[in-house]
Amino acid sequence: MPGVRYVVGERASALNDAAQKALQRELRHLAAQGHQGAMPPAVFLAISGGGDNGAFTAGVLNAWTQTGTRPEFKLVTGISTGALIAPFAFLGPKYDATLKEVYTTISPKDVIEYRSFIEGVLSDAMADNSPLIRLTRKSVNAGLLQEVAAEYAKGRMLLVATADLDARRAIIWDMGKIASHGTPEALDLFVKVMIASASIPAGFPPMMIDVEADGRPYQEMHVDGGIVAQVFAYPAALRLQQGAAEQGVARERKLYVLRNARLDPDWAQVERSTMSIAARSVASLIHSQGIGDLYRIYATANRDQVDFNLGYIPASFKAPHKEEFDTAYMRALYDTGHAMMLQGFPWQKTPPGFVLPDAPRGAAQ
């Protein structure tokens, strides 16, 4: 399936061409619908990683549907747990119940099978993710791929990021283009990409993806996209406004970023032990990387005159988290996101800690 993925930082023209072709498909679809006048707003949704914190986004999306204001997203991106949510968010309210069920009823046994310490050290991960693969395949089937392909034909885009561990590079997969192939191989790759993006290195086994280069077959090792970014909207090399202007298109653009994490620093007493220090350090790195990603996205959106909107788990949420995929924790977090949206979601217009410059003295307020 050539042309279904893009290497971040290389051949920016390839992704730019894909965006231009998506716009052309959208224009043809609108013309076929008899649309006249200005282009409708293009609304983007970026869903971050965060493991079982994905319950927050599930709650937000379900409540957004209930408010009657949820838009149809022109672009949906996902990474890690966001990659598991993205196809359902892309297809709209029809799959709200699926998201709610997954993020409020599952338990650890539905996602992972722990290996013994020796088995884990001597294999490729400390746990087996076969339960997660089975859970994903229950909903991600040939019918869902047909729906994704139909939306792709309308000019909408669904992108998921993984990390190619061999090459140490981020890969963005065009899930709509994969779906449009409509073959069993396409379904297999679609699921593999979703699972790979959520496969925490050393925790879950990597996904081995078959590729061909220079006429020879290879296997690439793909893992959690969270090791390269916690969230992404589109690469900075893709100049949205400029590309649209070249085709004579002017439109309003909005971006909603849902960060499945708290952004405030949280205090915790760290035990003076190797594993405790290592775990806290990795968590701190992920926290800092996630905030850095938001600044990058904000800068790119600001350049392209895309209205930036950020949502994240509030500092007031302090439900106990006893284990990964803790059902009670996920239900509480789902309810928090759901309630926030029904009460009028407090979208932030800048990343945390960013202060807009004061308006020049004498300028209109």
Side-chain angles (χ1 to χ4, degrees), residues 135-276:
L135 180 66
T136 302
R137 286 191 177 276
K138 282 178 59 178
S139 301
V140 181
N141 50 34
L144 182 138
L145 245 64
Q146 290 176 358
E147 293 181 55
V148 171
E151 297 305 314
Y152 173 80
K154 298 176 185 177
R156 299 177 64 210
M157 297 188 75
L158 171 62
L159 305 177
V160 164
T162 64
D164 177 352
L165 202 56
D166 296 312
R168 291 200 306 182
R169 62 187 186 180
I171 303 293
I172 294 178
W173 298 84
D174 190 336
M175 305 296 275
K177 193 167 186 178
I178 293 173
S180 67
H181 282 266
T183 62
E185 292 78 15
L187 176 58
D188 184 59
L189 178 59
F190 196 99
V191 173
K192 276 187 174 181
V193 170
M194 289 177 64
I195 299 298
S197 186
S199 295
I200 302 169
F204 285 170
M207 296 302 293
M208 306 305 296
I209 296 180
D210 297 321
V211 299
E212 183 179 299
D214 299 325
R216 297 177 58 189
Y218 294 89
Q219 274 199 325
E220 289 179 349
M221 181 181 290
H222 285 257
V223 298
D224 194 331
I227 72 170
V228 292
Q230 292 301 306
V231 63
F232 77 103
Y234 57 89
L238 181 60
R239 305 183 74 91
L240 283 187
Q241 188 182 35
Q242 178 180 320
E246 290 172 356
Q247 296 199 45
V249 172
R251 69 194 313 182
E252 178 186 359
R253 296 180 182 85
K254 289 187 175 183
L255 167 63
Y256 293 96
V257 180
L258 285 171
R259 179 72 178 102
N260 293 305
R262 283 173 49 179
L263 299 186
D264 60 299
D266 60 318
W267 187 91
Q269 184 170 334
V270 181
E271 294 181 13
R272 193 172 179 178
S273 66
T274 300
M275 295 306 294
S276 181

Side-chain angles (χ1 to χ4, degrees), residues 283-298:
S284 298
L285 178 63
I286 291 172
H287 177 84
S288 298
Q289 179 196 35
I291 293 177
D293 291 332
L294 297 176
Y295 272 80
R296 172 177 47 80
I297 293 171
Y298 176 77

Side-chain angles (χ1 to χ4, degrees), residues 49-73:
D52 53 10
N53 281 345
F56 176 71
T57 288
V60 169
L61 289 174
N62 269 260
W64 206 342
T65 298
Q66 293 175 31
T67 65
T69 61
R70 178 174 168 179
E72 179 180 83
F73 301 108

